[in-house]
């Protein structure tokens, strides 16, 4: 009976010792327990721990309109995306300002066109023209009176060409388009031109609507184009 007290003390000391050994093994040894526990909790909460702060890779810097590199001086940064089928609307961004998008609620089926002052880069007007059931004369009235140096951004959505006539195709060709003359039902098209250009624009992409190559059922893939446009010396 007299040994009961000392025996309990021995058992307690052994139990404490075993517990400390197990905890030390699990947490990586003496001195590492608290930092590892702290790292566990901070990582789960979304706060980087000491190790992650050292190994984290820096994010790639994005410039105006999400371009991977800045434009030279006296150039305007742009990025544009055509509509995807008849579901996702187009986007036109210039100098980090969204000129047209579904969020701005100023895009629609057909041709989405933004007119921009080629010197200042300021938006003059942005409109969508229904090329399936709309009146092509509304489009003609919009692009006929353009002033010298005006930049013209065009992004298709759904059908860009059913209502196009010869005059419309000619006007876009005079703005620098290579593909306006052959644009057809449900083609994808993005284009940047200007009033008074002497050569064809380097900023144009076109994909034909073909059941053999279409990405979507009845529509080709959406087009994305970005770049740097030299500021014009004359603009209306």
């Amino acid at each position: 009976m007299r040994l009961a007290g000392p025996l309990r003390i021995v058992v307690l000391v052994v139990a404490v010792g075993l517990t400390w050994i197990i905890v030390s093994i699990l947490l990586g040894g003496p001195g590492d327990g608290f930092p590892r526990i702290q790292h566990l909790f901070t990582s789960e909460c979304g706060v980087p721990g000491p190790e992650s702060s050292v190994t984290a890779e820096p994010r790639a810097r994005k410039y105006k309109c999400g371009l991977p590199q800045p434009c030279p001086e006296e150039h305007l940064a742009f990025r544009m995306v055509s509509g995807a089928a008849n579901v996702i609307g187009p986007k036109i961004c210039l100098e980090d300002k969204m000129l047209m998008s579904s969020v701005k609620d100023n895009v629609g089926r057909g041709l989405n066109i933004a007119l921009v002052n080629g010197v200042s880069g300021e938006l003059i007007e942005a409109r969508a023209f229904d090329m399936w059931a709309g009146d092509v004369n509304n489009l003609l009235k919009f692009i006929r009176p353009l002033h010298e140096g005006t930049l013209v951004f065009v992004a298709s959505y759904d059908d860009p060409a059913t209502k196009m006539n010869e005059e419309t195709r000619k006007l876009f060709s005079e703005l620098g388009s290579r593909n306006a003359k052959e644009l057809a039902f449900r083609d994808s098209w993005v284009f940047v031109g200007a009033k008074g250009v002497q050569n064809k624009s380097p900023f144009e992409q076109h994909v034909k609507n073909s059941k053999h190559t279409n990405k979507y059922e009845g529509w080709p893939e959406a087009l994305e184009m970005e770049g740097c446009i030299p500021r014009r010396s004359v603009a209306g």
Side-chain angles (χ1 to χ4, degrees):
M1 297 296 291
R2 292 180 179 179
L3 295 176
L7 183 61
R8 288 177 182 174
I9 294 173
V10 171
V11 172
L12 179 62
V13 170
V14 171
V16 171
L18 288 175
T19 302
W20 174 252
I21 292 172
I22 293 172
V23 170
S24 297
I25 292 172
L26 291 177
L27 297 180
D32 291 343
F34 179 73
R36 286 174 181 258
I37 293 173
Q38 183 185 44
H39 176 68
L40 176 64
F41 280 98
T42 54
S43 297
E44 289 180 349
C45 294
V47 180
E51 294 178 6
S52 62
S53 63
V54 174
T55 58
E57 295 183 3
R59 293 184 178 180
R61 182 177 178 183
K62 294 292 185 180
Y63 296 89
K64 291 179 179 179
C65 292
L67 269 62
Q69 57 187 20
C71 289
E73 290 186 10
E74 298 304 315
H75 283 67
L76 302 171
F78 80 93
R79 180 176 179 269
M80 55 198 304
V81 185
S82 69
N86 62 345
V87 179
I88 303 175
K91 296 179 182 179
I92 301 176
C93 174
L94 181 70
E95 287 291 283
D96 241 12
K97 296 179 181 179
M98 193 62 68
L99 305 185
M100 302 190 76
S101 70
S102 296
V103 173
K104 292 182 69 68
D105 196 25
N106 63 347
V107 298
R109 176 177 66 181
L111 294 177
N112 295 268
I113 304 177
L115 304 182
V116 172
N117 183 301
V119 174
S120 67
E122 294 297 319
L123 177 66
I124 299 172
E125 190 173 1
R127 288 182 58 185
F129 299 90
D130 188 344
M131 301 304 290
W132 169 254
D135 186 350
V136 71
N137 287 310
N138 293 329
L139 172 59
L140 291 172
K141 292 176 183 177
F142 190 68
I143 59 176
R144 273 178 188 152
L146 296 182
H147 295 286
E148 195 83 3
T150 301
L151 298 176
V152 182
F153 293 78
V154 186
S156 66
Y157 183 23
D158 190 5
D159 174 28
T162 296
K163 288 287 185 174
M164 268 199 177
N165 56 21
E166 287 303 314
E167 183 181 0
T168 309
R169 296 178 190 276
K170 180 182 178 183
L171 287 173
F172 280 120
S173 296
E174 291 174 352
L175 293 172
S177 172
R178 290 182 173 88
N179 303 121
K181 291 182 178 179
E182 59 187 71
L183 204 64
F185 174 67
R186 284 186 177 174
D187 286 1
S188 288
W189 184 43
V190 286
F191 165 65
V192 183
K195 180 69 173 181
V197 294
Q198 301 301 317
N199 302 308
K200 293 301 180 182
S201 172
F203 302 113
E204 183 172 27
Q205 293 184 22
H206 174 224
V207 176
K208 298 289 290 182
N209 168 25
S210 169
K211 63 180 181 180
H212 303 295
T213 59
N214 282 349
K215 182 175 182 179
Y216 311 104
E217 185 177 354
W219 291 270
E221 64 183 296
L223 294 173
E224 182 175 337
M225 184 170 65
E226 62 186 31
C228 304
I229 303 172
R231 291 181 185 270
R232 307 288 292 177
S233 56
V234 178

